[in-house]
Amino acid sequence: MNVLLVEDEQKIAGFVAAGFKEQGFLLEHCDNGIDGFDRASNGVFDAIVLDIMLPGRDGISILKGLRKAGNATPIILLTARNELDDRLEGLALGADDYLAKPFFVEELIARVLALLRRVSGERQNVLLVGDLRLDRISREATWCGHTVDLTGREFNLIEYLMRSPGRVFTRTQILEHVWGYDFDPSTNVVDVCIQRIRKKMSAIGASDEGESPIESVRGVGYRFRKLA
Ligand code: CA
């Protein structure tokens, strides 16, 4: 799950980022309205958490701009207590929900998940390729009907590959997307993480090694096996 947070208050951004990360979500943060609109327009996000009072461009204007451009990404507005008018205007302009400050990050996460359930429905929130099933809301993975106990990072990695079966991703692409920041490209964290996933899947014993859905592509990276 990939969430964009547009919020200029560092303190709020800090605890929101920590809370989402703890739940295993990917969170990108912009601290002003100009960058926020740019990222929201050009990136692919499951949801956007948007503050109203922002330097550069306010949240209502960003919301208006995105909806006008046909961008339907679910949006939750963060509002101050005295911004009732903005809140109502936001909902009228196509915001999906709002949350008044101060709030608990647990509530924000619950709202985002509720929104994703409502907006996308079961079909998009469950990825199913061959015998592997990922539920992006409950973050449960099952392989041949058995639960695979994945960490947040492992889940995000396999989800990333699984969304484009057959496509080869380089270690750098995987690092950037799943770890979210620039690592030394010589690091082997991707390989180590993939080994752990394979080990967990083969421990279930439902399939032999050769059938692992994650294929190594020598000298390039990894891909999720495409099924006929
Ligand atoms: Ca603000």
Side-chain angles (χ1 to χ4, degrees):
M1 211 69 73
N2 200 1
V3 175
L4 176 67
L5 169 69
V6 190
E7 166 64 76
D8 58 315
E9 285 170 67
Q10 285 306 324
K11 213 175 130 193
I12 296 179
F15 81 73
V16 169
F20 275 78
K21 213 175 150 191
E22 205 180 294
Q23 295 293 315
F25 294 115
L26 295 169
L27 185 113
E28 186 174 328
H29 171 227
C30 293
D31 65 1
N32 68 80
I34 306 285
D35 291 346
F37 181 74
D38 183 58
R39 287 303 298 140
S41 304
N42 297 310
V44 178
F45 298 97
D46 293 298
I48 300 170
V49 177
L50 183 60
D51 188 27
I52 291 187
M53 295 285 283
L54 289 165
R57 181 167 183 177
D58 70 76
I60 294 292
S61 159
I62 293 174
L63 168 66
K64 216 186 275 185
L66 290 174
R67 293 299 187 245
K68 201 175 161 194
N71 185 319
T73 308
I75 294 178
I76 296 187
L77 293 174
L78 296 180
T79 67
R81 209 174 315 201
N82 55 2
E83 291 171 342
L84 179 65
D85 288 349
D86 285 342
R87 210 176 288 171
L88 296 175
E89 191 189 355
L91 292 174
L93 286 170
D96 299 274
D97 200 355
Y98 68 86
L99 193 55
K101 295 178 185 177
F103 58 87
F104 289 106
V105 68
E106 291 81 3
E107 178 165 14
L108 178 60
I109 292 172
R111 297 282 190 101
V112 168
L113 291 176
L115 200 54
L116 293 177
R117 277 191 207 101
R118 200 167 81 214
V119 173
S120 356
E122 164 87 351
R123 212 159 46 94
Q124 285 181 23
N125 289 324
V126 173
L127 292 175
L128 185 66
V129 179
D131 293 325
L132 185 67
R133 180 182 188 277
L134 295 190
D135 185 322
R136 303 174 67 224
I137 299 285
S138 67
R139 300 185 64 75
E140 281 170 353
T142 55
W143 167 240
C144 303
H146 300 277
T147 301
V148 191
D149 190 16
L150 298 176
T151 64
R153 190 84 78 191
E154 291 161 0
F155 189 97
N156 289 339
L157 197 162
I158 207 162
E159 179 188 343
Y160 181 52
L161 299 180
M162 201 176 167
R163 287 179 100 166
S164 310
R167 181 174 157 196
V168 182
F169 292 93
T170 65
R171 286 176 181 76
T172 308
Q173 283 174 320
I174 296 171
L175 271 177
E176 280 174 6
H177 187 87
V178 179
W179 274 260
Y181 51 92
D182 293 334
F183 262 81
D184 172 0
S186 66
T187 179
N188 69 344
V189 292
V190 173
D191 308 272
V192 171
C193 190
I194 289 200
Q195 276 168 27
R196 274 202 315 264
I197 297 172
R198 283 178 173 159
K199 206 176 258 178
K200 285 179 179 182
M201 293 178 76
S202 68
I204 286 169
S207 176
D208 57 67
E209 282 290 326
E211 287 299 300
S212 171
I214 302 174
E215 292 179 311
S216 307
V217 181
R218 191 187 281 270
V220 188
Y222 294 97
R223 75 172 156 220
F224 199 91
R225 189 186 296 277
K226 194 172 188 168
L227 297 169

